[in-house]
């Protein structure tokens, strides 16, 4: 693909060119346009849903034995791995993430297909103990057409996290990737088709959220919506889905507390806090954005953290030594910088960072310095709103009760982490934190088989693991009569 050509998308057998309208993908490392994809509109949604419904009803996919369906899913995983380098490179250009992170995301995308293939192989329905002359079983059935809507921060991985289980459960999927990062989703559609997925079961519509995304959520043929993105968008989608009475899976924003008790392993905690916020340049829903350090340790810990932050290597995504790449777009960098200004106005002291790096090599990209701020109360906007950038706020705390109250003191509940030498305390605090994932003496680990999702305004439902398969299935209970005599009144 070149920057001049417009890559079409496909609905069933038909290629669409967007009538000349396109979405450009810009490399955040230097601001250059690296490609353009035809832009889908709400009109394409009608056609895509019709094709997907037809594929769902007429292709053998939903009726295949799950272990047979698994063979196609394995093949998709195999092909993703075979194209690892090219996909990771494209991912880097599309999202601006460091190449190493992109390789990791491509690997994870392949794992999702392999994992859900394996679950298909071992999937069991429930048979209930009889309470009469019958036996009953509960079967998992697909919904039909599922709309999957994804954000820009982890392309291909976030998409595979939805597409793999939704297909494994027998659904047809229409995927709308973020307008910022449309390229990898189209590659995924190509790979699925080449791997033998029946036509029409996966359609990718690169378009705008308020147009294509909103039209998908409203469409009467769409029977389930799976969304990852911001909390406000999630709320709007849930409102429409509520009116339509269709199920939603929502993976939304976070403002995760990262807690350091005074008995923590100091070096490990510093490293954990650093990677928890500056990994992915803070563009991670689970980033540990609010650091709480016990008062007796606060000064020493924050000093050490600031020194380590100064050494974070901000650089071009394709440089092997780069630890932190650019932000996804110029507009997003302005948003992040705006939050740092707000923090200053609210009385925050910027201890390190707080601006654009002064490095000529990075001048054309959307870089921002890793930033540490202190002096704000937990009620400040920088402590309450998702910044989605490399900005950490530090707050001291007294004791367990104080940090639990402050940690839980936002609308979000996606993740939390803590560092302590006392496992009994870790267990107590973990149970009190309102968060879908809690890390103890580690941070940001994820496991393909471990449920992931949010409490409170961070989401509804769980992805990954067996929960992921359940999310895309509805349960049907079937009763088989074993009566010797006719039923009476
Ligand atoms: P947005 O909510 O802005 O967008 C997410 C997706 O929704 C995009 O594809 C967007 O399209 C689309 N969209 C926008 N408006 C609508 C609408 N009215 N109806 C349907 N779809 C719509 O999020 P971002 O892309 O900015 O991603 C960042 C957010 O994602 C952060 O809040 C982050 O926390 C969250 N996130 C959550 C994760 C989790 O697992 N909990 C994981 C990763 C990110 P378009 O791009 O065209 O606007």
């Amino acid at each position: 693909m070149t920057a001049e050509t417009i890559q079409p998308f496909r609905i069933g057998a038909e290629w669409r060119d967007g009538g000349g309208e396109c979405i450009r993908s810009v490399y955040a490392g230097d601001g250059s346009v690296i490609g353009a994809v035809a832009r889908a509109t709400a009109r394409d949604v009608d056609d895509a849903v019709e094709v997907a419904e037809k594929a769902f009803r007429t292709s053998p996919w939903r009726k295949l034995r799950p272990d047979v369906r698994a063979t196609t899913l394995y093949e998709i995983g195999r092909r993703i791995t075979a194209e690892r380098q090219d996909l990771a490179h494209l991912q880097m250009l599309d999202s601006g993430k460091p190449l190493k992170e992109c390789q990791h995301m491509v690997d994870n995308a392949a794992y999702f297909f392999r994992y859900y293939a394996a679950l298909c192989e071992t999937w069991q329905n429930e048979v209930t103990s009889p309470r009469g002359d019958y036996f009953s079983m509960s079967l998992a059935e697909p919904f039909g057409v599922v709309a999957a809507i994804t954000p820009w921060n982890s392309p291909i991985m976030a998409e595979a996290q939805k597409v793999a289980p939704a297909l494994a459960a027998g659904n047809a999927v229409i995927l709308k990737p973020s307008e910022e990062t449309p390229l990898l989703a189209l590659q995924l559609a190509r790979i699925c088709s080449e791997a033998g997925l029946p036509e029409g079961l996966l359609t990718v519509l690169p378009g705008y959220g308020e147009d294509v995304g909103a039209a998908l959520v409203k469409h009467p043929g769409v029977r389930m919506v799976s969304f990852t993105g911001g909390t406000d968008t999630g709320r709007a989608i849930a409102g429409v889905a509520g009116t339509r009475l269709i199920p939603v899976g929502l993976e939304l924003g976070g403002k995760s507390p990262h807690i350091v008790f005074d008995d923590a392993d100091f070096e490990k905690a510093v490293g954990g806090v650093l990677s928890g916020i500056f990994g992915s340049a803070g563009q991670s829903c689970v980033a540990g954005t609010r650091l709480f350090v016990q008062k007796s340790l606060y000064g020493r810990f924050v000093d050490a953290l600031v020194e380590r932050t100064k050494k974070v290597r901000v650089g071009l995504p394709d440089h092997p030594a780069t630890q932190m790449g650019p932000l996804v777009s110029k507009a997003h960098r302005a948003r992040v910088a705006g939050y740092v200004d707000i923090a200053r106005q609210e009385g925050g002291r910027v201890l390190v960072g707080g601006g654009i790096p002064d490095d000529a090599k990075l001048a054309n990209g959307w870089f921002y310095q890793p930033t540490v701020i202190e002096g704000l109360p937990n009620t400040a906007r920088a402590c309450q709103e998702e910044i989605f950038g490399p900005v950490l706020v530090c707050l001291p705390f007294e004791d367990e009760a104080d940090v639990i109250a402050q940690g839980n003191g936002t609308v979000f509940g996606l993740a939390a982490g803590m560092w302590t030498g006392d496992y009994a305390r870790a267990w107590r605090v973990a149970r009190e934190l309102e968060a879908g994932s809690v890390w103890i003496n580690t941070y940001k680990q994820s496991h393909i088989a471990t449920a992931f999702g949010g409490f409170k305004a961070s989401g509804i439902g769980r992805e990954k693991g067996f929960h992921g398969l359940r999310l895309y299935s509805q349960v049907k209970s079937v009763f088989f009569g074993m009566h010797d005599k006719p039923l009476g009144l």
Side-chain angles (χ1 to χ4, degrees):
M1 186 177 63
T2 66
E4 296 81 45
T5 56
I6 297 180
Q7 188 182 347
F9 61 90
R10 204 164 75 129
I11 298 179
E14 193 191 327
W15 291 96
R16 304 245 164 146
D17 65 4
E21 294 289 321
C22 70
I23 296 175
R24 291 194 169 77
S25 174
V26 177
Y27 177 43
D30 63 12
S32 60
V33 175
I34 54 131
V37 300
R39 180 163 80 80
T41 63
R43 285 195 305 278
D44 296 306
V45 169
D46 290 338
D47 298 341
V49 174
E50 195 184 321
V51 165
E53 267 185 327
K54 190 166 171 220
F56 174 72
R57 303 220 174 278
T58 59
S59 89
W61 187 253
R62 75 189 158 108
K63 292 189 183 155
L64 284 178
R65 285 190 347 236
D67 58 307
V68 179
R69 233 184 264 147
T71 55
T72 307
L73 300 175
Y74 278 128
E75 181 58 15
I76 296 169
R78 192 192 68 72
R79 284 170 183 260
I80 292 173
T81 301
E83 295 190 31
R84 178 180 193 256
Q85 295 307 344
D86 288 348
L87 290 171
H89 187 73
L90 188 65
Q91 158 86 292
M92 179 193 77
L93 295 175
D94 201 22
S95 67
K97 291 208 164 197
L99 188 59
K100 241 187 291 172
E101 271 186 54
C102 296
Q103 286 163 341
H104 173 71
M105 275 185 243
V106 173
D107 289 342
N108 270 309
Y111 298 158
F112 275 117
F113 282 94
R114 284 168 27 196
Y115 176 79
Y116 283 104
L119 270 193
C120 277
E121 302 249 33
T122 53
W123 199 343
Q124 293 181 355
N125 288 304
E126 294 163 33
V127 175
T128 336
S129 326
R131 288 201 169 194
D133 294 336
Y134 60 84
F135 82 86
S136 54
M137 60 195 300
S138 295
L139 307 168
E141 298 234 335
F143 286 104
V145 180
V146 166
I149 302 174
T150 50
W152 45 260
N153 65 325
S154 308
I156 205 162
M157 187 170 95
E159 275 108 41
Q161 188 166 319
K162 295 185 186 310
V163 172
L167 290 177
N171 298 284
V173 182
I174 301 177
L175 169 63
K176 194 212 88 64
S178 167
E179 67 186 71
E180 299 285 357
T181 52
L183 301 184
L184 271 290
L186 289 167
Q187 295 301 315
L188 182 62
R190 173 184 59 74
I191 289 171
C192 289
S193 165
E194 289 169 2
L197 185 73
E199 200 162 88
L201 283 178
L202 174 62
T203 302
V204 171
L205 294 180
Y208 296 149
E210 64 272 18
D211 181 23
V212 169
L216 273 171
V217 177
K218 272 192 262 168
H219 199 291
V222 169
R223 298 297 179 82
M224 188 265 169
V225 176
S226 176
F227 170 79
T228 299
T231 291
D232 290 344
T233 317
R235 211 170 258 130
I237 289 174
V240 177
T243 309
R244 292 194 50 218
L245 291 177
I246 58 166
V248 283
L250 301 173
E251 299 285 353
L252 308 177
K255 195 75 198 174
S256 303
H258 202 160
I259 301 164
V260 180
F261 285 100
D262 59 8
D263 61 354
D265 180 316
F266 192 88
E267 284 307 316
K268 285 186 184 164
V270 172
V273 169
L274 202 77
S275 70
I277 179 65
F278 300 130
S280 304
Q283 302 170 116
S284 162
C285 53
V286 293
T289 46
R290 291 181 299 147
L291 170 66
F292 292 97
V293 188
Q294 199 152 20
K295 267 190 180 154
S296 50
L297 186 67
Y298 182 86
R300 189 161 80 92
F301 192 88
V302 172
D303 285 350
L305 189 73
V306 166
E307 286 315 305
R308 288 282 299 275
T309 302
K310 287 178 186 162
K311 294 187 184 127
V312 171
R313 291 189 299 273
V314 179
L316 289 166
D318 59 351
H319 197 290
T322 292
Q323 291 177 312
M324 203 182 95
L327 299 178
V328 73
S329 67
K330 195 175 183 179
H332 186 56
R333 183 175 68 177
R335 185 174 173 273
V336 170
Y339 266 109
V340 175
D341 290 343
I342 291 169
R344 285 188 174 107
Q345 285 154 20
E346 289 190 316
R349 290 183 297 281
V350 175
L351 302 177
V352 57
I356 293 171
D358 183 18
D359 178 343
K361 289 194 293 301
L362 310 182
N364 294 327
W366 320 131
F367 295 87
Y368 197 79
Q369 292 170 325
T371 299
V372 178
I373 300 173
E374 70 168 2
L376 290 168
N378 194 33
T379 49
R381 281 186 66 188
C383 299
Q384 291 292 317
E385 297 175 23
E386 193 180 36
I387 299 174
F388 223 57
V391 180
L392 177 71
V393 284
C394 308
L395 301 109
F397 72 90
E398 292 285 351
D399 54 21
E400 272 179 42
D402 180 24
V403 81
I404 289 166
Q406 291 202 66
N408 289 339
T410 74
V411 296
F412 297 108
L414 191 59
M418 82 188 85
W419 297 83
T420 174
D422 180 346
Y423 261 82
R425 166 156 70 189
W427 172 246
R428 270 194 313 271
V429 175
R431 297 303 305 267
E432 292 300 322
L433 288 170
E434 296 164 345
S437 296
V438 179
W439 292 290
I440 298 165
N441 293 333
T442 183
Y443 201 82
K444 241 187 179 184
Q445 305 298 333
S446 69
H447 193 300
I448 207 154
T450 307
F452 179 75
F455 280 30
K456 294 161 43 185
S458 289
I460 296 176
R462 294 292 178 270
E463 291 191 320
K464 297 190 172 175
F466 201 76
H467 295 269
L469 209 49
R470 285 202 184 119
L471 186 66
Y472 298 100
S473 313
Q474 52 191 338
V475 176
K476 177 184 285 173
S477 294
V478 179
F479 293 74
F480 293 83
M482 301 289 172
H483 315 285
D484 288 331
K485 298 183 204 143
L487 292 174
L489 282 178

